[in-house]
Amino acid sequence: MSEIEPVRLELIIGSTRVGRIAPVVANWFVERARTYPHVELGVIDLLETSLPQNLDDSPATDAFRARVGRAHGFVAVTSEYNHGYPAALKTAFDSVKHEWRAKPIGFVSYGGVSGGLRATEQLRQVVAELHMVSVRQSVSFHQVRKKFDDNGRTTDGAAVDSADRMLAQLVWWARAVRLQRGTESYPG
């Protein structure tokens, strides 16, 4: 039996606000994903990423485009601000075009009472326009600041179960798309 080629996922931290809890949520998910077999995970923190202002050929655009292009799938960690997603996350999606196409994406959202679910539903529309495959399962943290201890751990069983299911769906789609890309180009 041949060795299974790992799936390369990029986790994108969407919030860039001062005092954000995004790194806690993202680090928790990274730890879960690193235990999942045959997954390589990178992290793109938009607070530390120089995003281009348009689809130019600047070094920032080229580096971001290359990283998105190498990935087999994505996880977006998004907060919900005023019933929507962070502007930096939308800028990231708008900064490159073809590299997103026909790749799966999952969402880890957080917020107050809604747990970021409104932001996730809006982002599903955005990624559909980019020809991405939004997996059904998502992770949501309601009242997020109450869900994690001082060490960044959670006892939220629903979140743990959802994360595992989402990873399984992402890996399945990423492998299917990678196989298909090996036989023909995406027609989009």
Side-chain angles (χ1 to χ4, degrees):
M1 184 177 205
S2 65
E3 176 105 12
I4 297 174
E5 183 182 347
V7 169
R8 175 75 182 168
L9 299 177
E10 289 286 355
L11 180 137
I12 303 168
I13 302 174
S15 175
T16 59
R17 283 192 173 181
V18 174
R20 65 193 179 142
I21 194 167
V24 173
V25 177
N27 289 339
W28 169 82
F29 188 84
V30 165
E31 292 304 314
R32 293 250 17 116
R34 291 211 168 123
T35 66
Y36 202 86
H38 311 296
V39 170
E40 290 179 358
L41 187 69
V43 177
I44 300 171
D45 187 341
L46 296 182
L47 182 63
E48 301 168 357
T49 303
S50 178
L51 290 174
Q53 298 304 308
N54 53 40
L55 294 172
D56 60 0
D57 285 327
S58 70
T61 304
D62 293 343
F64 189 68
R65 183 180 291 134
R67 190 150 180 194
V68 170
R70 283 190 302 270
H72 299 124
F74 303 91
V75 175
V77 175
T78 185
S79 53
E80 182 178 310
Y81 301 138
N82 302 317
H83 288 220
Y85 48 82
L89 189 52
K90 181 67 162 74
T91 299
F93 285 126
D94 292 345
S95 294
V96 296
K97 188 174 181 180
H98 299 287
E99 291 78 6
W100 298 114
R101 289 188 173 177
K103 293 181 180 177
I105 185 166
F107 297 99
V108 176
S109 66
Y110 62 90
V113 174
S114 74
L117 292 174
R118 292 176 288 224
T120 294
E121 290 309 308
Q122 291 173 22
L123 284 166
R124 288 184 194 280
Q125 295 173 6
V126 172
V127 300
E129 184 62 23
L130 294 170
H131 297 246
M132 296 178 82
V133 177
S134 173
V135 299
R136 161 63 181 81
Q137 191 66 51
S138 63
V139 180
S140 177
F141 289 100
H142 306 266
Q143 302 290 323
V144 65
R145 294 200 182 268
K146 296 178 181 178
K147 296 293 182 175
F148 291 89
D149 66 19
D150 292 340
N151 296 314
R153 292 185 300 254
T154 186
T155 57
D156 187 333
V160 171
D161 181 60
S162 293
D164 292 342
R165 289 172 187 265
M166 187 176 77
L167 280 163
Q169 292 173 9
L170 280 168
V171 168
W172 188 93
W173 275 105
R175 285 182 177 150
V177 168
R178 184 171 57 194
L179 180 65
Q180 185 62 20
R181 282 181 185 265
T183 61
E184 66 180 287
S185 299
Y186 177 71

